[in-house]
């Protein structure tokens, strides 16, 4: 079981091993029968880096994310992750216990639809505290205190700690989902259209929060989005997907300012300036 | 059709063997729910078929059987089950806890401390402590296998957040031998501490749900709680109106239609014994003794 | 002075006596015989055999009489009796293709080899209560002129053209699952699912089957074939080494033809649903076939969205003996647990009142009281 002090020292580990990639995707491929999901996707992600995967619907970006998260069977290729003890493991070789533990502590997954990533019948405090209780926290006051401090960090009024997320707005639910995922100081967060379905002003606020949190906590993140503005704001590197294939990748600013591929040029030019 | 003769304690030997194999597994893995092929019994599912099958599997001709329901030997279902075994096994039956070698119980643990010569058989309606948090059996099995009990503490957290207290008053979940979390059957939480380090073998039978589990003698059993909201027993704040006990679980009895009430020991044998020994005890001779 | 209530044992004995008396009813009315029940309440006996999971008309009739006509109580009696019987093996699978059908209908073809045989059916009766039933002597039935006894299965006809999926053949050495010997585990294979449904409550399966027709997990069913009749039961004892006939059973079989499926690599084919039961139990067999097909959603790659497709839900709640036991067990004393709950609620109310008093200034409370 993970105690509090191990969670705190995770930041130190990240600094020491910053020269090794945290997450490696090797030739990830998915076929649905004869239908291509995505093909031969390879990249390396380092601690503290944010990679945006952009493309239109049907590009394969969601399939890729689900394979990275172990939620979908891989047809070909591997996902490698550097564990807290320094060993790089092929996720397919983890036991179910190891994988589930990883997901409760070292990884976060932010769903596009917050109702799927939260327990809607449980209070905000319970939602944030669950991971702590899962790793052995047994002091109600401390759990509550930690939950309150996280609610503050994601700019939710901590007086609402006992309310169910049913009474929260879409933006608040999303921020609660983020708090729920970050409470065990994960090193990697996967996000699926984190601003999808939210009002523009709410999106801006959420993006701002995400940017600060990623920086403050030295998080590595893979953010799937169809919105280039999200990519530009959050990520250092970008991968453009079309028809299941990666057609262009590189530094975000470079790719978006000077797209090489015709499809990327089309994407960039079709963004309506705000 | 000819008159039927039944095997000792009703079940055939094959079935008893099957149940005993499950019991051995259960004892080997304290608190783990072992699936077993529960048989249809002559009483309905939900009325103690699991307990009856376990008792039938462990009973021998020299055993002395006590059956209680809600702590009492005289409640209708306890009477019915006791008669069933008297008829099909011909064993001696008793209402006295310390005379019994096998005690089948519904919803209470006897007040009297049990000994190493005794087996306590619990009737269990829903064996799965996670059931009302997660209805799927496939998922709860996985949670037990991976010791993923976080969701149980979420429930306790929610209780405290909402009510200021843990709101579970019976069937209170407990961790067995630091590994499996179990539902001790709907005993009041008052009885939970008796599960811990008990000299007797404790067996749990759920007939309808088809599960058997066990707590071997002298096993560590800890009721779930928070450090700052520790597990508390609850007992009505009154002595027993019949025997004066202040340490037994009490039944509330309403005595008239204006709501007058009195509190009486739930464990009928315990109460009777206390009254018997009070009646036969010599009167104390002392200047300080209150005048009788 | 309060005396702890005793006499539970006597109360039970008296209750049983009263029950026996009520069961007999007015002594001037002739006692119902088992033969009357078996001959004239045939379909009741069939249902009890099905869900009681035991083929014995006399015992089922006795159960119905003992249960005063309460079907689930009768089913319970038969099941409890079944527990005491020794098993000496498993029969060969019955061959319904060789059935001597008294009824055989198909909704998928206007006519077919062997013909549409209506048999003793309620189907086209007008549901008008008939008081003369009590006095009229029924006419002798008409003898049919039968040209051929060949009755090939509709599904076989379709299978010849590969239009319907093949029933998966079991491996020679595979043992058949039996949920009366091993507790049911999920996910459950089709043999256990069908066994569970065969023993399952007719009403429950009927409702679930109905729900699939109304859109809760649609399977586009057609009644490919329903047949009712006698089949022979064969058994191969170890000592003998070959199969010998034990006798005959009447069974009802329903095969549905359902939603076709196919893909770029597989040509489209119809899929199947199957129902089987003792005696004449058409409604049960048809409902069973609808639910069987719905439960195959997982293996056929369909989304599980409706209750009838939810294996754990359907199979855990289909047994009416278990269901009635647990529902009715609420009648048993639960006062110890209730006491525990009462204690907590009283305490929480006290705390609530204290909190309310502390938060509400005296003037407001006076106003509220007035």
């Amino acid at each position: 079981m993970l105690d509090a002090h191990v969670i705190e020292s995770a930041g130190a580990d990240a600094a020491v091993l910053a020269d090794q990639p945290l997450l490696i995707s090797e030739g990830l491929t998915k076929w649905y029968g004869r239908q291509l999901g995505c093909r031969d996707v390879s990249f390396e992600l380092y601690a503290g880096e944010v990679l945006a995967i952009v493309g239109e619907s049907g590009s394969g970006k969601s399939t890729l994310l689900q394979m990275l998260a172990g939620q979908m069977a891989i047809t070909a290729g591997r996902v490698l992750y550097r564990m807290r003890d320094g060993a790089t493991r092929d996720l397919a070789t983890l036991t179910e216990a190891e994988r589930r533990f990883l997901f409760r502590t070292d990884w976060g997954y932010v769903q596009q639809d917050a109702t799927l990533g939260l327990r809607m019948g449980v209070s905000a405090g319970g939602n944030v505290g669950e991971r702590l209780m899962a790793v052995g926290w047994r002091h109600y006051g401390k759990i509550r205190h930690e939950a309150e401090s996280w609610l503050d960090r994601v700019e939710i009024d901590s007086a609402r700690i006992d309310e169910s997320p049913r009474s929260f707005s879409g933006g608040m639910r999303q921020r609660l989902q983020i708090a729920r995922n970050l409470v065990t100081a994960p090193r990697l967060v996967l996000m699926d259209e984190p601003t999808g379905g939210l009002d523009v002003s709410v999106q801006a606020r959420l993006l701002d929060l995400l940017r600060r949190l990623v920086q403050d906590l030295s998080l590595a993140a893979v953010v799937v989005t169809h919105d280039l503005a999200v990519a530009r704001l959050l990520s250092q590197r970008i991968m453009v997907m079309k028809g299941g294939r990666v057609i262009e990748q590189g530094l975000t600013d470079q790719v978006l300012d000077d797209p090489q591929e015709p499809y990327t040029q089309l994407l960039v030019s079709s963004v309506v300036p705000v | 059709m000819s008159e039927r003769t039944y095997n000792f304690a009703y079940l055939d030997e094959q079935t008893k063997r099957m149940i005993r194999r499950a019991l051995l597994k259960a004892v080997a893995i304290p608190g783990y729910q072992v699936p077993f092929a529960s048989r249809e019994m002559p009483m309905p599912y939900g009325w103690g078929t699991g307990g009856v099958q376990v008792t039938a599997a462990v009973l021998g001709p020299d055993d002395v059987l006590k059956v209680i329901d809600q702590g009492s030997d005289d409640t209708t279902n306890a009477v019915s089950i006791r008669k069933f075994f008297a008829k099909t096994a011909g064993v001696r039956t008793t209402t006295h806890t310390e005379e019994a070698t096998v005690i089948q119980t519904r919803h209470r643990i006897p007040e009297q401390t049990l000994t190493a010569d005794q087996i306590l058989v619990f009737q269990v309606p829903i064996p799965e402590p996670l059931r009302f948090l997660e209805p799927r059996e496939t998922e709860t099995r996985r949670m037990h296998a991976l010791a993923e009990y976080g969701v149980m503490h979420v429930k306790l957290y929610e209780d405290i957040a909402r009510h200021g207290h843990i709101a579970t008053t019976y069937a209170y979940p407990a961790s067995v031998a630091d590994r499996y979390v179990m539902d001790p059957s709907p005993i009041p939480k008052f009885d939970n501490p008796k599960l811990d380090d008990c000299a007797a073998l404790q067996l749990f039978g759920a007939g309808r749900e088809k599960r058997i589990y066990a707590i071997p003698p002298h096993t560590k059993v800890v009721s779930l709680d928070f450090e700052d909201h520790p597990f508390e027993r609850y007992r009505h704040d009154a002595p027993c109106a019949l025997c004066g006990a202040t340490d037994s679980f009490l039944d509330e009895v309403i005595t008239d239609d204006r709501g007058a009430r009195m509190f009486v020991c739930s464990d009928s044998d315990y109460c009777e014994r206390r009254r018997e020994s009070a009646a036969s005890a010599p009167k104390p001779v002392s200047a300080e003794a209150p005048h009788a | 002075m309060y005396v702890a209530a005793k006499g539970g044992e006597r109360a039970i004995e008296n209750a049983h006596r009263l029950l026996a008396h009520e069961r007999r009813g007015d002594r001037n009315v002739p006692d119902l015989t088992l033969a009357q029940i078996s001959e004239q309440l045939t379909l009741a006996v069939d249902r009890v055999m099905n869900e009681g999971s035991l083929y014995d008309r006399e015992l089922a009739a006795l159960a119905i009489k003992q249960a005063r006509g309460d079907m689930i109580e009768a089913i319970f009696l038969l099941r409890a009796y079944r527990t005491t019987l020794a098993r000496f093996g498993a029969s060969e699978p019955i061959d319904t293709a060789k059935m001597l059908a008294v009824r055989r209908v198909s909704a998928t073809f206007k006519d077919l080899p062997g013909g549409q045989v209506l048999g003793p059916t309620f189907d086209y009766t007008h549901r008008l209560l008939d008081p003369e039933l009590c006095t009229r002597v029924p006419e002798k039935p008409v003898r049919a002129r039968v040209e051929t006894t060949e009755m090939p299965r509709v599904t076989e006809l379709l299978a010849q053209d590969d239009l319907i999926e093949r029933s998966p053949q079991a491996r020679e050495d595979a043992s058949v699952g039996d949920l009366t010997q091993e507790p049911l585990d999920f996910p459950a294979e089709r043999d256990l699912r069908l066994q569970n449904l065969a023993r399952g409550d007719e009403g429950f399966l009927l409702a679930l089957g109905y729900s699939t027709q109304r859109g809760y997990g649609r399977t586009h069913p057609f009644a490919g074939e329903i047949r009712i009749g006698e089949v022979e039961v064969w058994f191969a004892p170890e000592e003998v080494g070959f199969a010998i006939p034990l006798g005959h059973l009447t069974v009802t079989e329903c095969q549905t033809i359902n939603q076709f499926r196919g893909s770029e690599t597989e040509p489209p084919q119809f899929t199947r649903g199957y129902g089987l039961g003792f005696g004449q139990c058409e409604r049960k067999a048809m409902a069973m076939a609808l639910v069987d097909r719905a439960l195959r959603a997982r293996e056929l790659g369909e989304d599980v969205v409706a209750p009838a497709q939810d294996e754990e839900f359907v199979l855990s709640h289909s047994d009416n003996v278990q269901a009635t036991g647990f529902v009715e067990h609420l009648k048993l004393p639960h006062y110890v647990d209730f006491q525990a709950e009462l204690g907590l609620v009283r305490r929480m109310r006290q705390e609530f009142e204290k909190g309310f008093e502390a938060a509400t200034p005296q003037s407001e409370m006076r106003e509220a009281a007035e």
Side-chain angles (χ1 to χ4, degrees):
Chain A
M1 288 201 296
L2 211 63
D3 330 287
H5 86 272
V6 178
I7 297 173
E8 279 151 22
S9 70
D13 281 337
V16 163
L17 296 164
D19 56 333
Q20 299 262 342
L22 187 62
L23 179 72
I24 302 169
S25 163
E26 274 179 12
L28 274 189
T29 303
K30 176 71 182 177
W31 288 92
Y32 299 105
R34 301 218 314 207
Q35 181 89 351
L36 178 66
C38 72
R39 186 173 185 148
D40 219 9
V41 179
S42 301
F43 63 84
E44 286 178 354
L45 189 70
Y46 288 77
E49 267 203 303
V50 180
L51 170 69
I53 305 179
V54 302
E56 296 172 310
S57 38
S59 59
K61 58 190 196 298
S62 293
T63 302
L64 175 64
L65 196 72
Q66 288 182 296
M67 283 197 289
L68 289 174
Q71 285 173 5
M72 188 180 288
I74 296 172
T75 310
R78 303 196 295 170
V79 180
L80 303 165
Y81 179 73
R82 180 166 44 82
M83 314 286 277
R84 280 185 199 251
D85 63 5
T88 300
R89 301 274 306 271
D90 177 351
L91 288 188
T93 64
L94 292 180
T95 64
E96 192 174 354
E98 286 174 309
R99 207 158 19 93
R100 280 163 83 118
F101 183 72
L102 195 68
F103 267 84
R104 264 181 286 129
T105 54
D106 223 27
W107 284 38
Y109 192 106
V110 178
Q111 308 253 17
Q112 178 174 2
D113 180 357
T115 62
L116 298 177
L118 293 170
R119 288 191 191 270
M120 297 304 285
V122 168
S123 69
N127 266 286
V128 177
E130 180 169 355
R131 278 192 171 197
L132 296 174
M133 290 183 258
V135 295
W137 284 43
R138 290 288 177 265
H139 193 282
Y140 174 81
K142 287 188 188 152
I143 294 166
R144 195 178 172 81
H145 183 75
E146 189 75 9
E148 277 169 343
S149 96
W150 272 100
L151 290 178
D152 280 335
R153 271 180 108 155
V154 298
E155 295 167 17
I156 294 176
D157 179 6
S158 57
R160 301 186 73 170
I161 185 175
D162 294 326
E163 284 178 38
S164 144
R166 287 192 226 275
S167 64
F168 287 8
S169 66
M172 280 174 77
R173 287 179 189 177
Q174 201 54 302
R175 279 180 276 137
L176 181 63
Q177 201 195 164
I178 290 164
R180 176 178 159 86
N181 273 277
L182 296 183
V183 73
T184 44
R187 294 184 297 156
L188 173 67
V189 182
L190 306 176
M191 300 195 224
D192 186 9
E193 306 275 8
T195 57
L198 299 173
D199 291 342
V200 172
S201 61
V202 174
Q203 279 190 38
R205 193 175 161 199
L206 186 66
L207 283 175
D208 210 36
L209 175 69
L210 278 173
R211 198 168 47 83
R212 270 186 286 119
L213 284 172
V214 164
Q215 203 167 28
D216 291 347
L217 303 169
S218 303
L219 290 178
V222 178
V223 182
V224 158
T225 180
H226 66 276
D227 187 340
L228 295 182
V230 171
R232 197 190 276 277
L233 199 73
L234 286 184
S235 67
Q236 294 91 21
R237 299 203 323 196
I238 192 171
M239 228 161 63
V240 182
M241 290 187 73
K242 177 178 191 285
R245 289 176 172 76
V246 179
I247 59 150
E248 189 162 357
Q249 57 181 319
L251 295 177
T252 305
D253 288 338
Q254 273 180 17
V255 171
L256 292 183
D257 289 338
D258 184 22
Q260 298 299 303
E261 294 295 318
Y263 176 70
T264 320
Q265 289 166 356
L266 181 66
L267 271 186
V268 170
S269 65
S270 59
V271 171
V272 176
V274 175
Chain B
M1 284 163 294
S2 53
E3 180 61 41
R4 285 205 61 95
T5 48
Y6 293 97
N7 196 30
F8 177 82
Y10 184 78
L11 293 176
D12 60 281
E13 291 305 311
Q14 279 284 61
T15 303
K16 285 190 207 170
R17 221 167 287 148
M18 179 271 295
I19 296 172
R20 287 178 196 143
R21 272 196 289 266
L23 286 170
L24 285 175
K25 273 193 202 140
V27 170
I29 314 174
Y32 168 71
Q33 300 166 50
V34 180
F36 81 109
S38 177
R39 298 283 188 258
E40 261 102 20
M41 301 295 283
M43 64 284 297
Y45 283 115
W47 296 53
T49 56
V52 167
Q53 285 176 85
V54 169
T55 298
V58 302
L59 211 58
D62 298 328
D63 274 304
V64 181
L65 176 69
K66 173 178 162 86
V67 184
I68 48 173
D69 183 349
Q70 312 295 293
S72 164
D73 306 84
D74 196 49
T75 38
T76 42
N77 209 38
V79 168
S80 172
I81 292 174
R82 191 167 58 245
K83 284 184 80 164
F84 172 78
F85 280 115
K87 189 166 67 167
T88 59
V91 287
R92 196 156 74 83
T93 62
T94 182
T95 59
H96 298 314
T97 305
E98 76 276 6
E99 268 179 34
T101 57
V102 178
I103 301 169
Q104 181 170 328
T105 178
R106 179 168 171 268
H107 296 190
R108 283 284 346 261
I109 297 180
E111 304 293 351
Q112 203 122 348
T113 309
L114 300 175
T115 66
D117 301 322
Q118 296 178 306
I119 298 179
L120 187 59
V121 178
F122 292 79
Q123 296 177 204
V124 181
I126 304 268
E128 179 51 70
L130 300 166
R131 181 58 67 228
F132 298 110
L133 301 168
E134 174 50 70
R136 327 220 119 238
E137 171 70 14
T138 40
E139 187 53 27
T140 51
R141 246 187 306 142
R142 192 169 292 135
M143 289 160 88
H144 281 292
L146 302 172
E148 277 183 15
Y149 296 121
V151 70
M152 293 238 63
H153 275 94
V154 172
K155 193 260 173 198
L156 299 180
Y157 171 97
E158 290 294 291
D159 281 350
I160 298 170
R162 195 172 307 148
H163 305 291
H165 299 274
I166 292 173
T168 305
T169 58
Y170 57 89
Y172 195 101
S175 168
V176 182
D178 290 320
R179 177 54 182 88
Y180 285 94
V181 170
M182 73 163 220
D183 180 323
S185 83
I187 53 176
K189 61 183 196 170
F190 177 87
D191 283 343
N192 270 40
K194 298 178 188 145
L195 298 163
D196 181 44
D197 196 27
C198 177
L201 172 63
Q202 300 175 87
L203 303 176
F204 297 78
R208 189 185 45 85
E209 295 280 337
K210 305 179 184 12
R211 297 284 185 272
I212 276 173
Y213 46 108
I215 303 175
H218 300 294
T219 301
K220 178 178 174 193
V221 179
V222 179
S223 301
L224 301 187
D225 60 9
F226 286 104
E227 288 160 16
D228 52 339
H229 284 263
F231 171 81
E232 271 176 3
R233 303 172 88 195
Y234 173 77
R235 178 185 181 279
H236 292 318
D237 189 15
C240 169
L242 298 182
C243 75
T246 51
D247 58 352
S248 67
F249 192 77
L250 301 173
D251 290 335
E252 186 174 322
V253 180
I254 303 195
T255 50
D256 69 28
D257 62 358
R258 271 164 293 132
R261 43 177 48 90
M262 61 193 279
F263 296 96
V264 172
C265 285
S266 146
D267 185 334
S268 54
D269 180 55
Y270 181 74
C271 193
E272 234 176 79
R273 303 307 224 128
R274 279 182 55 89
R275 279 180 279 143
E276 276 168 17
S277 57
S280 57
K283 296 272 183 281
V285 179
S286 158
E288 288 96 358
H291 202 65
Chain C
M1 189 199 115
Y2 173 79
V3 175
K6 282 205 175 293
E9 192 155 343
R10 231 198 3 250
I12 290 179
E13 276 165 37
N14 290 341
H16 291 169
R17 271 176 76 160
L18 185 56
L19 175 65
H21 175 79
E22 292 291 319
R23 174 161 52 216
R24 179 59 185 82
D26 186 347
R27 310 284 166 141
N28 294 321
V29 175
D31 195 17
L32 202 53
T33 68
L34 299 188
Q36 283 173 320
I37 296 173
S38 183
E39 285 299 304
Q40 294 166 35
L41 298 181
T42 320
L43 303 181
V45 170
D46 288 346
R47 179 175 173 198
V48 171
M49 291 195 301
N50 252 315
E51 296 172 30
S53 216
L54 190 67
Y55 196 96
D56 188 317
R57 300 195 68 82
E58 195 183 41
L59 285 178
L62 175 62
I64 291 171
K65 183 178 162 87
Q66 189 170 333
R68 304 176 66 192
D70 180 334
M71 298 302 278
I72 295 179
E73 181 66 32
I75 288 161
F76 182 12
L77 283 167
L78 210 57
R79 287 266 195 96
Y81 183 80
R82 184 188 189 279
T83 303
T84 65
L85 298 174
R87 291 171 70 95
F88 52 84
S91 71
E92 303 295 303
I94 54 172
D95 190 354
T96 53
K98 299 213 180 79
M99 179 193 284
L100 218 61
V102 301
R103 173 163 163 77
R104 188 269 205 135
V105 295
S106 168
T108 46
F109 293 96
K110 182 164 181 181
D111 208 354
L112 63 170
Q116 304 266 13
V117 181
L118 292 181
T121 176
F122 285 120
D123 280 355
Y124 304 104
T125 61
H126 297 146
R127 269 65 169 192
L128 303 166
L129 270 180
D130 183 7
E132 280 168 40
L133 194 64
C134 310
T135 48
R136 185 177 54 235
V137 176
E139 300 168 328
K140 281 207 170 358
V142 173
R143 281 194 77 78
R145 239 202 355 251
V146 173
E147 270 119 33
T148 169
T149 50
E150 281 295 309
M151 274 192 179
R153 288 213 194 84
V154 167
T155 45
E156 287 308 303
L157 298 173
L158 290 172
Q160 276 166 21
D161 295 330
D162 207 30
L163 287 168
I164 194 166
E165 58 171 349
R166 294 233 158 252
S167 264
Q169 294 301 306
R171 288 192 339 263
E172 278 302 312
D173 55 330
S175 59
V176 180
D178 186 346
L179 54 78
T180 64
Q181 298 293 300
E182 294 296 325
L184 188 62
D185 205 8
F186 300 107
E189 291 308 311
R190 195 167 178 212
D191 55 349
L192 287 170
R193 300 199 304 254
L194 286 171
Q195 184 190 17
N196 179 296
L197 296 180
R199 293 156 58 96
D201 183 75
E202 182 177 311
F204 182 65
L205 292 188
L206 181 65
L208 286 174
Y210 179 43
S211 75
T212 66
Q213 291 178 284
R214 293 194 70 257
Y216 289 83
R218 195 173 178 201
T219 60
H220 292 95
F222 287 92
E225 183 156 358
I226 296 166
R227 32 172 93 192
I228 301 177
E230 278 192 345
V231 292
E232 207 166 18
V233 179
W234 291 73
F235 174 69
E238 262 182 61
E239 306 90 327
V240 173
F242 52 84
I244 53 178
L246 290 183
H248 288 95
L249 293 183
T250 299
V251 295
T252 301
E253 183 188 58
C254 173
Q255 301 207 50
T256 55
I257 298 169
N258 298 80
Q259 177 64 53
F260 57 86
R261 67 174 190 140
S263 64
E264 278 185 26
T265 47
E266 290 161 16
Q269 283 182 321
F270 289 108
T271 53
R272 297 167 181 257
Y274 190 77
L276 184 74
F278 292 144
Q280 198 173 329
C281 63
E282 212 161 285
R283 182 184 307 116
K284 170 69 181 285
M286 292 175 77
M288 183 174 159
L290 290 175
V291 177
D292 169 50
R293 176 56 181 82
L295 288 177
R296 295 184 63 214
R298 184 174 38 92
E299 71 207 41
L300 294 174
E302 295 164 352
D303 289 331
V304 174
V305 294
Q309 299 170 308
D310 185 335
E311 183 180 281
E312 249 191 78
F313 180 78
V314 172
L315 301 183
S316 301
H317 304 118
S318 61
D319 188 318
N320 53 29
V321 175
Q322 286 181 33
T324 195
F326 204 42
V327 167
E328 293 192 69
H329 106 288
L330 294 173
K331 294 181 279 192
L332 288 180
H334 283 77
Y335 51 81
V336 162
D337 293 337
F338 188 66
Q339 286 301 304
E341 293 276 274
L342 257 186
L344 179 65
V345 170
R346 280 180 180 145
R347 185 171 162 192
M348 294 199 310
R349 285 182 68 93
Q350 270 175 10
E351 286 167 5
F352 180 82
E353 248 122 68
K354 258 188 244 144
F356 180 71
E357 276 171 30
T360 318
Q362 284 300 308
S363 56
E364 269 184 50
M365 283 183 69
R366 258 204 307 278
E367 275 175 43
E370 285 153 16

